Amino acid sequence: MKARVTVTLKAGVLDPQGQAIEGSLKSLGMSGVGGVRQGKVFDLLLDATDESAARAAVTTMCEKLLANTVIENYTIEISN
Amino acid sequence: MKARVTVTLKAGVLDPQGQAIEGSLKSLGMSGVGGVRQGKVFDLLLDATDESAARAAVTTMCEKLLANTVIENYTIEISN
């Protein structure tokens, strides 16, 4: 199975990288952007064959390695 | 409107960061992972009020700044 983990900063956490991107967009002449937040995405190939086992395994991976749960949220999508 | 841009490496492009994460998962005792690829996600707040205008603006941003289209693919999701 495949899993996609999306890790984003929690609301209120400063995102200087996102601010830099917003500034760059403006200096390139692309206006109309009110804010940019950057996050990470992980595409995992899993040996697990059922969805609940896959989701449980990926949740453990997120809690232990992929996300810093103090400042980041994560979402998990499982597909075949 | 809001836009989420997901930027991933094209197939065949080496991803040492993903390989490092895969190695870390294994050394933390989490087996059953056949591969990890890392990408980026950008959450944009847009002033545009209709979806097609928003999508056109974000496509320009991707082509000019957010993605390196030589080695990366991008997908755009627009929501209210």
Side-chain angles (χ1 to χ4, degrees):
Chain A
M1 305 196 88
K2 289 177 188 171
R4 167 161 283 188
V5 175
T6 306
V7 177
T8 51
L9 285 171
K10 288 186 178 174
V13 178
L14 282 180
D15 181 6
Q17 208 168 354
Q19 288 170 350
I21 294 164
E22 191 182 341
S24 298
L25 287 171
K26 279 186 185 138
S27 54
L28 286 170
M30 287 168 273
S31 56
V33 179
V36 180
R37 306 276 286 171
Q38 185 173 0
K40 287 170 279 186
V41 64
F42 303 99
D43 287 318
L44 307 166
L45 264 176
L46 302 168
D47 298 341
T49 48
D50 79 295
E51 183 172 334
S52 62
R55 190 173 291 276
V58 175
T59 302
T60 307
M61 292 173 201
C62 288
E63 294 286 335
K64 286 203 181 170
L65 183 73
L66 300 180
N68 175 354
T69 53
V70 177
I71 57 166
E72 291 171 329
N73 292 320
Y74 62 86
T75 58
I76 298 169
E77 295 159 74
I78 306 281
S79 61
N80 280 306
Chain B
M1 304 196 89
K2 289 178 188 171
R4 168 161 282 188
V5 175
T6 307
V7 177
T8 52
L9 284 171
K10 288 186 179 175
V13 177
L14 283 179
D15 182 5
Q17 208 168 355
Q19 288 170 350
I21 294 165
E22 192 181 341
S24 298
L25 287 171
K26 279 187 184 137
S27 55
L28 285 171
M30 287 169 273
S31 57
V33 179
V36 181
R37 307 275 287 170
Q38 186 174 358
K40 287 170 279 187
V41 64
F42 303 98
D43 287 318
L44 308 166
L45 264 176
L46 302 168
D47 297 341
T49 49
D50 78 295
E51 183 172 334
S52 61
R55 190 172 290 276
V58 175
T59 301
T60 307
M61 292 173 202
C62 288
E63 295 285 335
K64 288 202 178 170
L65 184 73
L66 300 180
N68 175 355
T69 54
V70 177
I71 56 166
E72 291 172 329
N73 293 319
Y74 61 87
T75 58
I76 298 169
E77 295 159 74
I78 307 280
S79 61
N80 280 307

